[in-house]
Amino acid sequence: MADEPLVLGIETSCDETGVGIVHGTTLLADAVASSVNDHARFGGVVPEIASRAHLEAMIPTIQRALDTAGVKATDLDGIAVTAGPGLAGALLVGVSAAKAYAWALDKPLYGVNHLASHICVDQLEHGRLPEPTMALLVSGGHSSLLLSSDITTDVRPLGATIDDAAGEAFDKVARVLGLGFPGGPVVDRTARDGDPKAIAFPRGLSNANDPAYDFSFSGLKTAVARWVEAKRRAGEEVPIADVSASFQEAVTDVLTRKAVRACKDNGVDHLMIGGGVAANSRLREMAQQRCDKAGIVLRVPRPGLCTDNGAMVAALGSEMVRRDRAPSAFDLSADSSLPVTEVSVPHGDLHAHAHRALKP
Ligand code: KG4
Ligand code: ZN
């Protein structure tokens, strides 16, 4: 363990300023400053507010992480940062901070992919990832099935949502039900008192001819809104717990069925679930039951590591150092639409990214 890398990771892709410090696969600190309350009254994340909040929180959060870990910045073996995907202005704050620290401390800089970080964080909880690993990533911005044979170089997308992300559907349904923002945790809690079989909401892209690994949650969201609207128009009380439970059941049914199918089709016997929606209690329960039945080992990090945090970026950075992967150049740029296949942003890639950004 002594020669395992000590890496600080910075995450600012959305509304969480996360700074984590990892030694090998051991988590030493996970400091988070969230601006979620500043966005609540708008019903969604406001990019400009998020960027300003990152700027204010950045240095104190880095200091807090170093203090908690009990390490000096000069002891670090590298600085990792989310280079994308995410909100452009928000990412830029993290990338600029990471560059400044790496430059001043003379440490290697690793610009890494947010989605690969969501997968790699599980190493902090369950040890090194088996190769290959299937990953179901479900958050406010993403719903994807990814197959990885090496988390530092190879993440292959098998399927993704064609419209709303799973977390987005939770947030929108919560708004329809008047439950507040973010919707996932409150729908999860409310659903505990409801009947998941009360209302048969649609399961998107589940017919035989539909793409096996893609998702669609927009029709489900609309179906819930219509159902609630009809009740209200009829002057009847909306059974909020039943609607929450039945909606949640439809989402988790599709997610877990497709994830298990992807494992079976590709001969993969390890499934990890990450992203904010992986905190969902019913998703965890149903995934466990279906994986047990299919002989698949399920790995889900604890809820605090599933939502956006700096530890996940540090976890991937640490793995990059351990495997001797090339650091990023100091012309590293934030890329709001960084493809999932680009696990890290290597040397001198500025022109490739600028070029892609110019494409329509
Ligand atoms: O990964 P994350 O923190 O940020 C993104 O990258 O999007 O995910 C946030 C999303 C939100 O949509 C939130 O409603 C959802 O994760 N979420 C949940 C739960 N906790 C958070 N969804 C369902 N059940 C939960 N318990
Ligand atoms: Zn995320």
Side-chain angles (χ1 to χ4, degrees), residues 114 118 139-141 167-168 170-171 182-185 188 275-277 279-280 306-308:
H114 182 79
H118 266 304
S139 72
E168 210 177 338
F170 271 93
D171 294 336
D188 192 346
V277 181
N280 185 268
C306 287
T307 49
D308 290 350

Side-chain angles (χ1 to χ4, degrees), residues 43-204:
V45 175
V46 183
E48 193 55 31
I49 293 178
S51 306
R52 280 164 195 272
H54 286 310
L55 207 51
E56 281 170 23
M58 184 54 67
I59 291 172
T61 310
I62 289 176
Q63 199 51 55
R64 194 148 51 87
L66 289 168
D67 291 347
T68 306
V71 300
K72 291 198 290 290
T74 47
D75 296 336
L76 297 168
D77 295 306
I79 312 265
V81 62
T82 305
L87 302 171
L91 287 167
L92 207 53
V93 179
V95 168
S96 305
K99 279 187 197 177
Y101 276 82
W103 182 269
L105 296 163
D106 196 19
K107 305 288 181 190
L109 170 73
Y110 297 88
V112 298
N113 191 299
H114 182 79
L115 301 183
S117 304
H118 266 304
I119 301 175
C120 198
V121 75
D122 194 48
Q123 298 206 140
L124 305 179
E125 184 117 334
H126 298 114
R128 294 228 144 78
L129 287 166
E131 296 174 343
T133 287
M134 187 68 67
L136 171 67
L137 275 198
V138 273
S139 72
H142 306 277
S143 305
S144 319
L145 271 169
L146 307 168
L147 181 56
S148 173
S149 67
D150 175 339
I151 196 55
T152 62
T153 56
D154 174 44
V155 176
R156 212 159 9 114
L158 298 184
T161 181
I162 59 163
D163 40 57
D164 293 349
E168 210 177 338
F170 271 93
D171 294 336
K172 287 176 177 169
V173 163
R175 193 183 318 172
V176 165
L177 295 174
L179 293 174
F181 173 85
V186 59
V187 169
D188 192 346
R189 274 197 307 278
T190 309
R192 280 179 205 153
D193 301 322
D195 175 5
K197 295 204 178 80
I199 311 150
F201 286 128
R203 270 68 169 158

Side-chain angles (χ1 to χ4, degrees), residues 170 173 187-188 191-192 194-204 217 220 224 241-257 280-283 285-287 289-290:
F170 271 93
V173 163
V187 169
D188 192 346
R192 280 179 205 153
D195 175 5
K197 295 204 178 80
I199 311 150
F201 286 128
R203 270 68 169 158
F217 298 110
L220 169 62
V224 173
D242 283 350
V243 175
S244 298
S246 300
F247 157 76
Q248 180 172 271
E249 196 72 4
V251 175
T252 53
D253 178 26
V254 175
L255 290 175
T256 55
R257 191 159 26 79
N280 185 268
S281 58
R282 181 63 182 138
L283 178 62
E285 182 183 54
M286 198 188 278
Q289 285 164 357
R290 290 183 173 179

Side-chain angles (χ1 to χ4, degrees), residues 226-286:
R226 288 224 179 98
W227 195 93
V228 169
E229 181 60 25
K231 279 272 166 204
R232 286 188 182 137
R233 251 203 321 269
E236 292 173 35
E237 197 181 324
V238 177
I240 292 188
D242 283 350
V243 175
S244 298
S246 300
F247 157 76
Q248 180 172 271
E249 196 72 4
V251 175
T252 53
D253 178 26
V254 175
L255 290 175
T256 55
R257 191 159 26 79
K258 293 200 176 209
V260 168
R261 163 120 190 240
C263 289
K264 282 188 184 164
D265 291 353
N266 291 277
V268 176
D269 57 9
H270 283 81
L271 171 68
M272 86 76 58
I273 308 185
V277 181
N280 185 268
S281 58
R282 181 63 182 138
L283 178 62
R284 298 169 89 99
E285 182 183 54
M286 198 188 278

